[in-house]
Amino acid sequence: MTEHPTSHEGRQPLAARPQERARPRQEAVAGLPDRPGGAALPGTEAPAAGLPAPPRGAGGPGAVAVAVSPQPPGGAGDGAARREGERLRFVGAATRRIARGIDLDEIVLGLCRATVPTFSDEILVHLRDPLPVGDERPAAPFVLRLRRSDRLRLTDPESGDAVLVPDPEPTLAAELCEVRPGGALAEVLRGVRPVFGDSAAARAALTELLGTGHPLPGGPRAILAPLRGRRRVIGAAVFLRRPERAGFDPNDLLVAAQLATHTALGIDKAVLYGREAYIADELQRTMLPDSLPQPTGVRLASRYLPAAETARVGGDWYDAIPLPGSRVALVVGDVMGHSMTSAAIMGQLRTTAQTLAGLDLPPQEVLHHLDEQAQRLGENRMATCMYAVYDPVSHRITVANAGHPPPILLHLGGRAEVLRVPSGAPIGVGGVDFEAVELDAPAGATLLLYTDGLVESRVRDVWTGIEQLRERLAATAQLTGPDHSPPLEALCDDVLDMLGPGDRDDDIALLAARFDGIAPSDVAYWFLEPEDAAPGRARRLARRALARWGLEELTDSVELLVSEVVTNAVRYAERPVTLRLLRTDVLRCEVGDDSPQLPRQRRARDTDEGGRGLFLVNRLARRWGATRLSGGKVVWFELATRA
């Protein structure tokens, strides 16, 4: 992976100013001695800053060897220039490593790994708990939590080499520290600049931060660097060196300041990115259904894949909406774009589609109203949509399309066909008529609705992808035999496997529906004239149907509930009332009339002669409801059947 320098490197904050270049310096370079006598170990010299030596010796995995090489002869000016160059190279490499982190843990880890052992023997990173996000007010009190600590210890391997290895013992620093207003730590953090730990104020601040159990090295072997983000101090980093190593020099404060600045700004960005990712995830999750319904006569499965893990929002959606008469609406759509705006528009269109489906409008009318809604949302609010209504009683499906890829129907025998549905114009174009077609939906067949991200990419056009998808479905069906349909969940996974490895170009929404249907022998349907004798006739018809199905134990409950619902329908109806019984895993009764007024459950008074019908339905039925249609309403209830 190519490393890109950060914007801060171009400023070269550690470069010596003109008056400093002319002044020779004798200090060691960030703990790198200029002569063997000042080395971390007698007779040795640390590796060049930012360029640690490879592991060797008996230190075990992860050991960092301390190279032994004499210092080349040269004047003090040459040594100072060399050390300054090494210091700049170290800062550049360290800041690049910190900048590579995306989340908070990666950034803190990058700081620790970049500084130990090259810059310090031990580092402790404390961050505010909780971390403030953006402009929000920090929580009180001001508490720092130890986020990470790395340290090394010296060993004497048999080979005679001096090796630095990770210390397996846990740090003795306090886990939590409350920054008291007016205390020594609060004053140091308010100053923002890194300070040596040998002054009285700094030692008091370090004792307050690390606790009394953590030993502090003497002399200038500790640096306390506040971590300040864009608006406030968000933590502190402590750099420590052992007594065997040369102490920090004033130039090391500049190094610590650079490391602290890059780390703090990176943490700020990581926290903001985490909040945005959380908002995006929540938005996308609320826009898509948490779970699919389980309507009578059809089984459903779905998948949603974002275009990338780092951009989880998009405009693709799917939905399954139960309709009156045991029908179900199947919807898949795709809003143009992959932004938060696309996701918001998707949510509005999905809500509109649910509302229109509740009115039981034909599919072409639903698309027409969605087109009008997209135009009201603004210019260039384009989307494609497939809207289908499945009737398990008639074993038929009605489909309307608005510029969406055509659905594929997988038959029970393994034959997969691309349904011929007029494509239409996308939603948002305006002034376009949509056309619906009615097709057979045989029992055992599977309908697959999808968005173009599944079949279109930079290496293939959409029709090539559709043909590959059709072949994949047919090949999958052959594995289960001609008499069995492939499991829906496994079928969805197998379809997504055709994408192969690599990045996706677009979001993918997938909705699969297995048509089980309702057999004609499990359906009883009648028309009743709106007259006083209708409730009695409804009771007799229901009793005969239950006897034919062997459900005599439900006769009393069904007669009572049917009588109450039909009586209410006859009271307001002007045209014949419909009565339908459906036997599946439950017994469902549906009563329809031409009155749009929905019944409302209320508590009847002792002196009222009526108003108790829906109360009985609510108490005896497993579920019940009422749905307004374009030409009236349907009141339904369900009773559990004893298997």
Side-chain angles (χ1 to χ4, degrees):
M1 179 175 64
T2 305
E3 294 181 353
H4 300 282
T6 62
S7 59
H8 297 275
E9 294 174 33
R11 292 183 286 179
Q12 294 185 352
L14 300 181
R17 288 184 285 271
Q19 62 271 25
E20 294 176 340
R21 292 194 187 98
R23 184 177 59 200
R25 291 194 300 267
Q26 302 297 330
E27 297 88 8
V29 181
L32 304 180
D34 56 356
R35 60 178 55 87
L41 289 177
T44 65
E45 187 172 276
L51 301 173
R56 66 184 180 90
V64 181
V66 179
V68 179
S69 58
Q71 182 178 358
D78 294 341
R82 179 180 60 81
R83 290 192 298 271
E84 188 66 30
E86 291 173 347
R87 198 188 308 273
L88 290 175
R89 285 193 296 271
F90 163 70
V91 172
T95 53
R96 283 194 298 270
R97 183 162 191 170
I98 295 170
R100 282 201 298 265
I102 296 178
D103 59 24
L104 191 148
D105 290 331
E106 289 181 350
I107 294 172
V108 174
L109 177 62
L111 171 66
C112 295
R113 295 293 169 83
T115 54
V116 178
T118 309
F119 183 69
S120 63
D121 295 325
E122 182 178 0
I123 181 173
L124 300 99
V125 182
H126 294 74
L127 297 181
R128 197 162 190 158
D129 186 29
L131 277 169
V133 181
D135 297 333
E136 71 180 20
R137 191 176 186 86
F142 188 173
V143 177
L144 293 178
R145 178 182 293 274
L146 180 61
R147 186 76 184 193
R148 184 180 178 86
S149 63
D150 280 0
R151 59 178 178 173
L152 302 169
R153 65 184 177 87
L154 298 174
T155 63
D156 295 322
E158 297 179 358
S159 61
D161 294 329
V163 181
L164 292 169
V165 300
D167 193 339
E169 299 178 1
T171 181
L172 299 177
E175 182 72 17
L176 288 176
C177 171
E178 181 177 346
V179 182
R180 298 185 300 274
L185 179 58
E187 293 299 323
V188 172
L189 295 180
R190 186 179 295 112
V192 177
R193 297 180 179 277
V195 295
F196 286 128
D198 53 355
S199 65
R203 291 192 70 85
L206 287 173
T207 302
E208 185 179 342
L209 178 64
L210 305 181
T212 56
H214 192 285
L216 296 179
R221 288 183 171 82
I223 292 179
L224 174 57
L227 301 177
R228 179 176 176 82
R230 290 172 176 80
R231 294 185 178 274
R232 58 185 60 87
V233 173
I234 60 175
V238 180
F239 305 94
L240 300 173
R241 286 184 180 176
R242 293 181 176 274
E244 298 86 356
R245 188 171 181 177
F248 294 107
D249 62 47
N251 285 331
D252 290 331
L253 291 178
L254 300 178
V255 175
Q258 277 290 307
L259 298 178
T261 299
H262 280 268
T263 302
L265 294 178
I267 291 174
D268 252 4
K269 289 187 291 185
V271 172
L272 287 173
Y273 172 80
R275 172 63 63 87
E276 291 178 358
Y278 170 78
I279 294 174
D281 284 344
E282 286 296 304
L283 176 63
Q284 188 69 50
R285 186 185 62 82
T286 55
M287 293 300 181
L288 296 175
D290 292 333
S291 60
L292 293 174
Q294 299 299 325
T296 303
V298 61
R299 286 172 286 171
L300 302 172
S302 63
R303 294 291 186 274
Y304 174 79
L305 294 179
E309 288 297 323
T310 55
R312 300 184 63 87
V313 292
D316 293 16
W317 91 91
Y318 62 87
D319 215 341
I321 309 168
L323 300 178
S326 300
R327 296 170 300 151
V328 60
L330 307 173
V331 190
V332 167
D334 183 3
V335 177
M336 179 179 63
H338 306 96
S339 62
M340 300 279 282
T341 302
S342 301
I345 296 173
M346 176 266 286
Q348 292 174 305
L349 293 180
R350 178 174 177 246
T351 302
T352 303
Q354 290 178 330
T355 303
L356 296 171
L359 299 176
D360 199 30
L361 298 179
Q364 65 272 22
E365 290 297 322
V366 172
L367 294 184
H368 174 72
H369 289 292
L370 282 177
D371 179 61
E372 293 180 339
Q373 175 67 10
Q375 295 179 66
R376 286 191 291 267
L377 293 177
E379 297 181 357
N380 299 323
R381 304 307 191 194
M382 308 286 290
T384 64
C385 183
M386 181 75 64
Y387 190 93
V389 175
Y390 170 65
D391 189 342
V393 177
S394 64
H395 296 266
R396 303 281 287 178
I397 185 169
T398 306
V399 188
N401 188 8
H404 205 76
I408 298 179
L409 186 64
L410 178 62
H411 293 269
L412 183 60
R415 180 173 64 91
E417 65 169 326
V418 180
L419 298 182
R420 296 182 178 181
V421 180
S423 60
I427 291 172
V429 173
V432 179
D433 292 332
F434 299 98
E435 182 180 354
V437 295
E438 188 173 351
L439 305 169
D440 288 330
T446 303
L447 182 70
L448 195 71
L449 303 177
Y450 53 91
T451 55
D452 57 359
L454 180 64
V455 294
E456 187 179 19
S457 67
R458 282 171 283 184
V459 298
R460 64 182 177 187
D461 61 86
V462 60
W463 289 107
T464 301
I466 292 174
E467 181 60 24
Q468 292 178 358
L469 176 59
R470 188 195 65 80
E471 294 175 353
R472 185 63 172 259
L473 290 173
T476 302
Q478 295 295 331
L479 299 177
T480 58
D483 300 329
H484 300 280
S485 301
L488 274 184
E489 298 293 338
L491 180 66
C492 292
D493 293 336
D494 190 68
V495 166
L496 294 180
D497 286 342
M498 67 176 287
L499 297 173
D503 295 334
R504 293 179 293 275
D505 298 325
D506 200 356
D507 302 346
I508 297 174
L510 180 66
L511 180 63
R514 173 72 42 75
F515 300 142
D516 295 332
I518 301 177
S521 59
D522 293 329
V523 180
Y525 193 85
W526 305 279
F527 287 94
L528 305 174
E529 292 296 330
E531 55 189 15
D532 294 341
R537 182 167 180 246
R539 289 194 297 268
R540 291 192 299 271
L541 294 173
R543 188 186 311 119
R544 294 171 187 172
L546 294 177
R548 186 170 67 250
W549 291 335
L551 299 176
E552 291 86 351
E553 68 274 8
L554 299 179
T555 300
D556 293 339
S557 298
V558 172
E559 283 188 356
L560 176 60
L561 299 183
V562 165
S563 179
E564 294 292 341
V565 176
V566 171
T567 299
N568 187 75
V570 169
R571 180 178 303 172
Y572 302 101
E574 297 180 358
R575 297 179 182 177
V577 175
T578 60
L579 172 63
R580 184 165 74 169
L581 295 179
L582 303 173
R583 182 186 66 166
T584 56
D585 54 340
V586 297
L587 179 69
R588 182 182 177 97
C589 175
E590 299 172 350
V591 178
D593 61 74
D594 60 346
S595 174
Q597 183 178 358
L598 296 179
R600 180 174 58 89
Q601 183 181 355
R602 63 183 178 88
R603 182 175 296 275
R605 293 172 296 184
D606 295 339
T607 58
D608 291 341
E609 296 182 0
R612 297 175 177 83
L614 289 182
F615 178 77
L616 293 174
V617 173
N618 185 64
R619 291 297 299 268
L620 298 179
R622 177 186 176 186
R623 293 194 309 154
W624 76 279
T627 305
R628 182 179 286 111
L629 306 178
S630 56
K633 67 175 180 295
V634 168
V635 180
W636 57 270
F637 64 84
E638 293 178 351
L639 293 172
T641 59
R642 297 179 178 87

